[in-house]
Amino acid sequence: MAKLKILTGPMRDRVFELDKDKKLILGRSPNQAGITVPDSAVSRRHAEFSCANGLWSVRDLDSSNGTFLNEVRVNDPEPLYAADQVRCGSTVMLFEADETELDLLRPREQAQGLVELKFDPGETMVAVAFESFQSKQTARHRQRMLHAGQAALHLSHGIKNILQAVRSGQDVMDDAFTQRDLEQARKAWQILKRNLDKIQKLVLDMLKFSRQEPPHLQACQFNRLAESVINLLRPQAQQKQAVLALQIDEELRSVSIDPDQMQDVIMNLVLNAIEAVGSGGEITVYTEMDRQRRQAVLRVSDNGKGIEDTRIIFEPFHTDKPNVGTGLGLTIARKIVQMHKGAIDVQSVPGQGSIFTVRLPL
């Protein structure tokens, strides 16, 4: 029996058997799809898998973001062969043929060896066993195309939202000039200013995400760094009527870090906490000296809405607030912490809040 194996995302390693006598719908709606994928880039009814004359095929169901077979967009039914990859949104699936049907389903690979794939915790695809160099090159090309496609997809959505807001600000500004209404012009400028800031953040986040810049380590007063970030962000917390507090461990003194990079980490965690809490919410930032492990510890705790699935929050472009962020903040934070030879993790209870913990070697 042919199968679909999920390769990326929260459903990674899940396997779905395909019944020759039934069409299978993949989508985001549990009421309309046989395979329900918790992926915001997947439509309610996204793609259909069906079998005719012993050959499986996939077709797109007029989805918003398209269905891709080996990174080529498909609309009409396209045949599936063993080891083909189907991407819907940011979810990638591997088509596995039944061994008894291998000759029928694998004409693309008859002249090449089987490709064995494995996946690291960062969801990066790496080909590890090949019978030909050509197969290895193909797998690497597919990997690059997959990541490029995901980046382009998410960026296009983010840029579209920003441009729509800029256009609204422009219309208000044009109307204000026509009416010679200074107050309305001020309101339009605030719209434009907010979205210029979003454009700047988008570009800077993409640069941080794409660069592999090693930290420039220097002795830094970790508590003072945390204090400066809290003072910088306290007005944003007050605007949301949330309490932002800092509790420091005075035993924690000088730590060897890149202060600019670590400031980005603290800011990302605190900004996420501010977004997570409602009016009257509480966010507390703790610093701690862990003498036993010889580590500097930073904790950011909030009593917000919590996180449903903590396994996917560090993935690139994952966000549950598409009009606010780029979905790269936590990815960048994890990258910086790992380059400092540290670790970051999260504990969360939906409806009660979250605690992010960063550990850095002294």
Side-chain angles (χ1 to χ4, degrees), residues 171-187:
D171 292 341
V172 175
M173 185 70 79
D174 289 340
D175 189 52
F177 284 145
T178 302
Q179 303 295 329
R180 297 182 181 277
D181 188 337
L182 182 59
E183 185 61 30
Q184 187 174 356
R186 287 196 182 99
K187 293 178 181 178

Side-chain angles (χ1 to χ4, degrees), residues 313-334:
I313 60 173
F314 293 104
E315 290 184 6
F317 304 108
H318 172 76
T319 178
D320 58 359
K321 44 185 189 299
N323 294 325
V324 176
T326 61
L328 289 174
L330 288 177
T331 306
I332 294 169
R334 180 179 66 173

Side-chain angles (χ1 to χ4, degrees), residues 37-181:
V37 180
D39 182 341
S40 59
V42 170
S43 299
R44 294 180 180 276
R45 285 170 51 88
H46 196 108
E48 177 188 85
F49 297 85
S50 60
C51 184
N53 301 319
L55 186 64
W56 280 93
S57 63
V58 60
R59 73 181 181 97
D60 185 70
L61 298 178
D62 295 324
S63 65
S64 300
N65 298 315
T67 300
F68 295 80
L69 175 60
N70 299 324
E71 290 311 313
V72 177
R73 187 163 187 162
V74 300
N75 292 305
D76 298 326
E78 288 288 337
L80 289 169
Y81 302 105
D84 275 350
Q85 292 180 20
V86 179
R87 178 169 66 82
C88 299
S90 57
T91 300
V92 181
M93 294 154 284
L94 181 70
F95 178 75
E96 298 180 337
D98 192 311
E99 290 296 328
T100 61
E101 304 170 319
L102 207 55
D103 291 336
L104 175 64
L105 299 178
R106 291 187 63 256
R108 294 180 189 167
E109 302 291 342
Q110 284 180 355
Q112 299 181 6
L114 286 171
V115 179
E116 180 185 346
L117 299 175
K118 74 175 182 180
F119 302 88
D120 69 14
E123 306 288 4
T124 302
M125 183 178 71
V126 183
V128 294
F130 301 87
E131 291 182 13
S132 73
F133 181 71
Q134 185 177 359
S135 297
K136 187 174 183 179
Q137 293 280 57
T138 301
R140 286 177 174 171
H141 176 70
R142 288 182 182 178
Q143 176 191 349
R144 289 194 297 269
M145 290 297 293
L146 171 63
H147 289 170
Q150 290 175 339
L153 172 66
H154 287 84
L155 280 176
S156 64
H157 281 294
I159 293 171
K160 179 188 72 174
N161 292 335
I162 293 173
L163 289 178
Q164 287 175 343
V166 170
R167 172 66 70 179
S168 297
Q170 177 186 332
D171 292 341
V172 175
M173 185 70 79
D174 289 340
D175 189 52
F177 284 145
T178 302
Q179 303 295 329
R180 297 182 181 277
D181 188 337

